[in-house]
Amino acid sequence: MKALTPTLLLFSSALAAVYNREIEKDASVLILGGGVTGVIAARTLHERGHDNFIVVDARGELGGRMQTESIGPPGRNFTVEQGPNWVQGTQTGNGPKNPILTLAEKHGVKTQFNDLFGSLSFFDFNGAFNFTDVFNDEDDDFTSLTVSAGTRLQKGLLDLNARSGYSLVGSNPLSHTAQTSEYYLFDWEYAQTPEESSWIGSSLNNNFTFEPEMGGFSEDNLLCIDQRGFKTIIQAEAAEFLKPSQLMLNSTVKTIEYSTSGVKVTLTNGKTLSADYVLVTFSVGVLQNSDVSFSPALPDWKQEAIQSITMATYTKIFLQFPDVFWFDTEMGLYADLERGKYPVWQSLDHKDFLPGSGILFVTVTGDYSKRVEALSDEQVQSEALAVLQLMFPNTSIPEPTAFFFPRWHSNPLFRGSYSNMPAAFVPTHQDNLRATVSDRLWFAGEATSFKYYGFLHGAYFEGLNVTNKLADCIEMGGCTGLPHVEEIKQ
Ligand SMILES: Cc1cc2nc3c(=O)[nH]c(=O)nc-3n(C[C@H](O)[C@H](O)[C@H](O)COP(=O)(O)OP(=O)(O)OC[C@H]3O[C@@H](n4cnc5c(N)ncnc54)[C@H](O)[C@@H]3O)c2cc1C
Ligand SMILES: *[C@@H]1O[C@H](CO)[C@@H](O)[C@H](O)[C@H]1NC(C)=O
Ligand SMILES: *[C@@H]1O[C@H](CO)[C@@H](O)[C@H](O)[C@H]1NC(C)=O
Ligand SMILES: *[C@@H]1O[C@H](CO)[C@@H](O)[C@H](O)[C@H]1NC(C)=O
Ligand SMILES: *[C@@H]1O[C@H](CO)[C@@H](O)[C@H](O)[C@H]1NC(C)=O
Ligand SMILES: *[C@@H]1O[C@H](CO)[C@@H](O)[C@H](O)[C@H]1NC(C)=O
Ligand SMILES: *[C@@H]1O[C@H](CO)[C@@H](O)[C@H](O)[C@H]1NC(C)=O
């Protein structure tokens, strides 16, 4: 090759500068969503030395589903958690430790052991009614369900729904107390019924988090009671590395255009951002709806993956009263004739949690969540008070001093609370949900986690692992990314 003359050299470098300006992008990577997945993805890129990224979120703060609300009148107001509240699974001996616990400890976020199975009072529509024995039988049935799912898996047998699983292990809850006990052990975790849930998926999901024998952390749940909010774990983590120029809040994404040479994201305010790569961390509920559009349309295998997973809803309904008139245990279980009607009550005005707060909350899930979201606050409050009156027939229930519940299912930024797997569970669908499209369009989130879908630690590990693959790809100067299966067959 002939040496270039100085003039030619000057000319060619000027040309290159013009060319580079033309193709100059806003960032190497756009991380769409600033929840646990997005923040851990950003931290991972930072740690790998790739600081040319921007985290984009529609909300005014980081945390995603980690959201608080201040309830109660001035002087008696408290922070409550609208979304996640527990570190689920801690650590057993020197076994694996839940990274969410590590973050809570690192940032001094206060948590407290919640005795979900040992500190429980029982009620039905005639008031206090001790159905401990029925509850214990249902607890055994849940264990049988997870054990038999393991046998099924080993034999390579087809997945069924968890209702079929329960029936096959001889569990057929008929009474309202048995059905409510089953609800507490099953629906209260998966936010859907056994009929709607995968037998193998729910059992694996339980084991990987709660069963140390199967690589799980532990069966303990720690309730966050920090008045700065549980979201502090992720906001304080982000504060350690994220620069203001790497963050765009109050920025709602409308369209994502992609090709093998790059991506362009358009916000609802008309602003556009271009990059080499985009990592989408929106909930699968958001992807299932038309809130964000992709151009070109996502391939069939990706659309199938998105629609193959359910976005379930879990709704906490908070009430504050002048004084405690309810149970002195941590939890209260109410058995109605209608399964899932205001069943799980939790006292925050308890010596271990927020004493003096006057706060009690009740959780509903699944279709019942959608039902209450369609009602007015006044209607839901009066239904909840009517149930309390049944639980405490001899008490005159006072007017609440505060009432609040979030509508996760209707929220266009979430469209539900967390993912659940329907029968039949095909883990390849999760691989396809995570898989890269056209080299440039990447996905991660709680729902792409095979082991920990639905959990904070699922979001954490996906943010970490997918982003490490993305960083590998950047360092290679491009790659096809995470693989997919074109057609999932019988
Ligand atoms: C009620 C409830 C209770 C829960 N309880 C627990 C619990 O106790 N323990 C536990 O471990 N897990 C729990 N979870 C699950 C946990 O919250 C999630 O698994 C986790 O927070 C998901 O994080 P993520 O980053 O994947 O998604 P997200 O937190 O949903 O992050 C995605 C981000 O994308 C943003 N976004 C969406 N659409 C757009 C758009 N168009 N433009 C720009 N930004 C957009 C959102 O604002 C959001 O910040 C609960 C969840 C809920 C809702
Ligand atoms: C986001 O919007 C809210 C409400 O309009 C505003 O209070 C807040 O300052 C904004 N935050 C950022 C970072 O722009
Ligand atoms: C209580 O309300 C005040 C004023 O509205 C607010 O500044 C404070 O942060 C709230 N406290 C909690 C714990 O939510
Ligand atoms: C409820 O019943 C169980 C088992 O029959 C018993 O051990 C327990 O003490 C009872 N609890 C109360 C509060 O009476
Ligand atoms: C769940 O864990 C139990 C051990 O407690 C095991 O017997 C069973 O096989 C596991 N189930 C699955 C689906 O892995
Ligand atoms: C409520 O009062 C009635 C009548 O005084 C009494 O029989 C019943 O045991 C009381 N119930 C409870 C739950 O205290
Ligand atoms: C994350 O990636 C590592 C390394 O590839 C792997 O060993 C681990 O199982 C992955 N973790 C999860 C939760 O997927």
Side-chain angles (χ1 to χ4, degrees), residues 104 124 257 316 328 335 363 410 488:
D124 78 355
E257 291 167 68
K316 295 191 267 182
D328 54 16
T363 301
S410 342
I488 301 176

Side-chain angles (χ1 to χ4, degrees), residues 5 18 26 38 64 70 75 78 103 134 137-138 142 147 155 160 168 171 211 213 280 292 332 334 432 468 480 482 484:
T5 63
V18 169
D26 295 294
S70 173
F78 294 85
L103 282 178
V134 173
D137 288 346
E138 285 303 322
F142 180 77
V147 169
K155 291 184 179 164
L160 295 169
L168 286 166
S171 176
E211 183 54 73
E213 269 177 60
V280 180
V292 177
Y334 165 70
N432 278 4
N468 270 318
T480 54
L482 299 169
H484 71 270

Side-chain angles (χ1 to χ4, degrees), residues 111-116 219-223 330 352-353:
T111 61
Q112 171 64 39
F113 174 68
N114 193 176
D115 196 0
L116 302 178
E219 55 181 32
D220 290 348
N221 288 277
L222 306 182
L223 189 79
E330 297 177 23
D352 291 341
F353 304 126

Side-chain angles (χ1 to χ4, degrees), residues 154-173:
Q154 269 162 16
K155 291 184 179 164
L157 300 180
L158 200 69
D159 186 26
L160 295 169
N161 71 28
R163 172 59 64 219
S164 304
Y166 268 125
S167 299
L168 286 166
V169 300
S171 176
N172 294 295

Side-chain angles (χ1 to χ4, degrees), residues 59-60 249-250:
R59 299 183 61 244
L249 293 173
N250 289 340

Side-chain angles (χ1 to χ4, degrees), residues 17 20 58 92 115 122 129 149 177 212 230 241 259 385 417 482:
N20 280 338
T92 303
D115 196 0
F122 299 92
F129 180 53
T177 52
F230 201 4
F241 68 88
S259 73
L385 292 179
S417 54
L482 299 169

Side-chain angles (χ1 to χ4, degrees), residues 117-118 120 122 130-144 177-178 181-182 185 333:
F117 299 99
L120 188 53
F122 299 92
N130 187 353
F131 55 89
T132 300
D133 295 340
V134 173
F135 183 85
N136 290 340
D137 288 346
E138 285 303 322
D139 197 8
D140 292 344
D141 289 350
F142 180 77
T143 303
S144 305
T177 52
S181 301
E182 182 193 78
L185 294 150
L333 193 52

Side-chain angles (χ1 to χ4, degrees), residues 58-61 247-251:
R59 299 183 61 244
E61 63 172 1
L247 180 60
M248 284 179 67
L249 293 173
N250 289 340
S251 302

